[in-house]
């Protein structure tokens, strides 16, 4: 998936910069002209002036003749104040000093006005510079905010694209996991079915083999019984009554411990793998010929577990012929007890 990012826009050119620069230059030139003019005015010496001194009599113009009034009585004459003579050089120096003081005062006043004008000009320049800086700062802030908004939008778009890509990857991974789980489940089911079929086939084969073995054993036992019956008929010995009697016939009575010997002989032939609660116990009665050949067997007390009872019967059949007693002959009949957990 192609990812698109918003390119930040270049900063806009600042407006009014040239006008502000020209205004600042004009104000500086005006200030420089005022400074030059003030310096030239202070350095110029005042032009000399001449003054003529007149006596009071000369200064007063001649009065026109007045009409004569009637004569008055004569008044005593009053002496007029004598004019104070003044030196012309001193007056000239005073006038010069006065003019210099006035010029100095005017120069000082002009200098103060120039300083005030310069201060106002500096304040105006500073104010305009501050306004320009504030305007530039506002423009820069707006530009930064716009750039930040663009970057934020680009980052949001990038995150959205990454989220979509991750969602697609997660979806593909989930589909693959589901397919793998389904394939594994199918394989397990097939393996279980195959194993079950093999177990069933093995069980059938084992059952067939056991049936064949049991049939062969039964045939061999019947053959031995037939041979024994033939031998007994020829000798006139009543084997049948001994086999069916109380154990005191041809076989006699079993000695103590004989049943344990037979149990030890039969137990290794018990083939049984099932687990059963408790300790299943089977009591089986066997009938033997004097040489230990198995004539018959029957369960006189079942354990309640048919599979265990059948395993015991098969083990007794496999153990044929059974061992003889201490007198060299096998007893005609006796019972044997088999427990699964012994």
């Amino acid at each position: 998936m192609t990812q698109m990012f918003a390119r930040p826009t270049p900063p806009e050119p600042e407006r009014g910069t040239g006008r502000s620069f020209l205004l600042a230059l004009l104000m500086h030139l005006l200030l420089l002209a005022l400074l030059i003019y003030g310096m030239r005015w202070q350095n110029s010496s005042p032009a000399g002036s001449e003054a003529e001194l007149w006596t009071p009599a000369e200064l007063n113009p001649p009065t026109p003749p007045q009409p004569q009034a009637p004569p008055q009585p004569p008044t005593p004459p009053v002496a007029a104040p004598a004019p104070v003579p003044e030196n012309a050089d001193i007056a000239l120096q005073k006038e010069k000093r006065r003019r210099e003081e006035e010029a100095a005062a005017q120069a000082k006043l002009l200098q103060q006005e120039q300083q005030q004008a310069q201060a106002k000009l500096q304040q105006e320049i500073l104010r305009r510079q501050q306004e320009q800086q504030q305007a530039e700062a506002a423009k820069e802030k707006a530009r930064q905010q716009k750039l930040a908004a663009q970057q934020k939008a680009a980052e949001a778009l990038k995150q959205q694209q990454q989220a979509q890509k991750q969602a697609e990857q997660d979806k593909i991974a989930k589909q693959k996991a589901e397919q793998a789980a389904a394939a594994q489940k199918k394989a397990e089911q097939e393996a279980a079915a195959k194993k079950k079929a093999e177990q069933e086939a093995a069980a059938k084969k084992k059952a067939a083999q056991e049936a064949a073995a049991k049939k062969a054993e039964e045939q061999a036992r019947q053959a031995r019984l037939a041979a024994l019956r033939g031998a007994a008929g020829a000798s006139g010995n009543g084997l049948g009554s001994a086999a069916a009697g109380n154990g005191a016939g041809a076989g006699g009575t079993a000695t103590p411990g004989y049943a344990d010997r037979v149990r030890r002989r039969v137990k290794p032939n018990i083939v049984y793998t099932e687990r059963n609660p408790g300790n299943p116990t089977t009591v089986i009665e066997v009938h033997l010929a004097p040489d230990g050949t198995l004539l018959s067997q029957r369960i006189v007390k079942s354990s309640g577990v048919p599979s265990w009872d059948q395993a015991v019967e098969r083990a007794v059949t496999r153990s044929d012929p059974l061992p003889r007693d201490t007198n060299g002959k096998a007893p005609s009949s006796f019972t044997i007890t088999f427990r699964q957990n012994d």
Side-chain angles (χ1 to χ4, degrees), residues 30-304:
L30 180 60
L31 178 61
L32 181 62
L34 290 174
L35 291 175
I36 293 173
Y37 175 75
M39 292 175 64
R40 290 183 61 187
W41 185 84
Q42 290 180 0
N43 293 332
S44 61
S45 58
S49 59
E50 296 180 357
E52 294 182 358
L53 301 177
W54 299 84
T55 60
E58 294 176 350
L59 292 175
N60 294 327
T63 58
Q66 298 290 334
Q68 294 182 357
Q72 297 289 338
T75 58
V78 179
V84 180
E86 185 176 0
N87 194 349
D89 294 334
I90 295 174
L92 182 60
Q93 290 178 359
K94 288 182 178 180
E95 182 67 19
K96 183 178 180 180
R97 188 180 301 111
R98 183 184 63 80
R99 291 185 178 183
E100 289 178 354
E101 291 177 355
E102 290 180 356
Q106 291 179 358
K108 184 177 181 180
L109 180 61
L110 180 60
Q111 184 178 5
Q112 291 177 354
E113 292 177 353
Q114 290 176 354
Q115 290 177 353
Q116 292 177 358
Q118 184 179 2
K120 290 182 179 180
L121 180 61
Q122 291 291 343
Q123 291 177 357
E124 182 66 19
I125 293 173
L126 181 61
R127 185 183 65 81
R128 291 183 178 274
Q129 288 179 351
Q130 290 178 352
E131 290 179 354
Q132 183 179 358
Q133 291 176 357
Q134 291 176 357
E136 292 176 355
K139 289 181 180 179
E140 180 65 19
K141 183 178 180 181
R143 188 183 69 83
Q144 292 293 339
Q145 290 177 351
K146 184 177 180 181
L147 181 61
Q150 292 176 352
Q151 292 178 352
K152 186 176 181 181
E155 185 66 22
L157 179 61
K158 181 180 178 181
Q159 291 179 356
Q160 182 180 2
Q161 292 174 350
Q162 290 179 351
Q164 292 177 354
K165 184 177 180 181
Q166 186 65 33
E168 292 178 358
Q169 292 177 354
D170 293 343
K171 183 178 180 180
I172 294 173
K174 184 178 180 181
Q175 291 177 353
K176 289 183 178 180
E178 291 177 352
Q179 292 175 358
Q184 183 178 0
K185 184 176 180 180
K186 183 178 180 181
E188 291 176 354
Q189 291 177 351
E190 291 177 353
K194 183 178 179 181
K195 184 177 180 180
K196 184 178 180 181
E198 291 176 353
Q199 290 177 351
E200 291 177 353
K204 290 181 180 180
K205 183 178 180 181
K206 183 178 179 181
Q209 291 176 352
E210 290 179 353
K214 187 174 181 181
K215 184 177 180 181
E217 290 176 358
E218 182 65 21
Q219 290 177 354
R221 189 176 67 83
Q222 293 296 333
R224 288 195 300 271
L225 288 175
L228 289 173
R229 289 191 184 96
S235 60
N237 188 5
L239 181 60
S241 60
N246 56 6
T253 303
T255 59
Y258 177 74
D260 291 336
R261 289 174 55 198
V262 174
R263 186 185 301 108
R264 288 193 297 270
R265 171 70 178 273
V266 174
K267 192 170 184 180
N269 294 325
I270 298 176
V271 180
Y272 191 75
T273 58
E274 297 180 10
R275 298 289 182 181
N276 296 309
N279 191 12
T281 302
T282 302
V283 179
I284 190 168
E285 181 183 23
V286 296
H287 296 271
L288 303 177
D291 61 352
T293 301
L294 179 64
L295 299 178
S296 64
Q297 60 178 333
R298 70 184 183 89
I299 296 175
V300 295
K301 184 179 180 181
S302 174
S303 64

